[in-house]
Amino acid sequence: INIEDIAWSLSMQCRFGGCCPRHYSVAEHSMFVAELCPRPKAFAGLMHDAHEAYVQDINTGFKQALGPTFRHFDRAWADAVAFHFGLTSGKDPDVHHADMLALATERRDLGLLDDVEWPTLKGYEAVPSHIPNLTQLGAFELFLATFKALQVCN
């Protein structure tokens, strides 16, 4: 488990299975979640999807279809990454809230609005700020810088 590998992989992975009008990386999403978290939880917010460097960002519907074997594999990697960086395992309510706010905002800013209700977003609205728009290299470098800045505070 290596932060440079995580930052690189997350900056290369496009959210929403690549079904976006532009490359919007998991690294950008993670930094946005960190920004939306209460300050003491910002590091956990940044790292909430770090294990996806090893298991990939898979759409929720596919994760559900893959069943318990994938959930076990995903959880094992999430726990290993959390342990490595001194974080607690499992979903923190503040990080989950920030993650859902980020998702609602991403849906708006990436033009993913449609007539289909996203049940997971029930009760969550997009925030006034907008999602980042970085190059892959910019996302990699900023993720590492954010990691270093927040790790000092953790």
Side-chain angles (χ1 to χ4, degrees):
I1 296 172
N2 176 287
I3 192 56
E4 287 82 10
D5 292 342
I6 290 169
W8 185 261
S9 178
L10 297 184
S11 71
M12 294 293 287
Q13 292 184 53
C14 189
R15 294 263 296 155
F16 306 105
C19 295
C20 311
R22 68 169 177 89
H23 181 82
Y24 177 66
S25 70
V26 176
E28 290 172 277
H29 164 76
S30 297
M31 290 184 284
F32 191 49
V33 170
E35 180 184 314
L36 296 174
C37 281
R39 184 66 179 166
K41 305 284 180 80
F43 185 70
L46 178 72
M47 300 302 289
H48 81 284
D49 282 339
H51 69 288
E52 291 180 359
Y54 304 101
V55 300
Q56 303 302 300
D57 178 43
I58 299 174
N59 290 332
T60 301
F62 288 128
K63 285 181 186 178
Q64 292 170 348
L66 290 171
T69 301
F70 179 78
R71 282 193 295 276
H72 175 74
F73 180 72
D74 188 66
R75 176 56 34 212
W77 272 102
D79 290 347
V81 170
F83 179 79
H84 183 81
F85 292 107
L87 296 164
T88 56
S89 293
K91 286 193 175 195
D92 178 282
D94 291 327
V95 174
H96 178 71
H97 181 74
D99 195 21
M100 292 298 98
L101 293 176
L103 178 60
T105 307
E106 291 161 354
R107 185 178 186 204
R108 179 199 65 205
D109 291 358
L110 291 170
L112 303 175
L113 300 172
D114 50 29
D115 293 334
V116 178
E117 181 181 338
W118 290 15
T120 192
L121 288 178
K122 188 173 178 81
Y124 296 98
E125 297 290 329
V127 298
S129 60
H130 292 273
I131 62 171
N133 187 2
L134 303 171
T135 64
Q136 180 275 323
L137 187 57
F140 167 72
E141 291 172 345
L142 189 55
F143 187 95
L144 283 178
T146 304
F147 173 86
K148 289 173 184 166
L150 292 176
Q151 191 179 37
V152 171
C153 301
N154 189 30

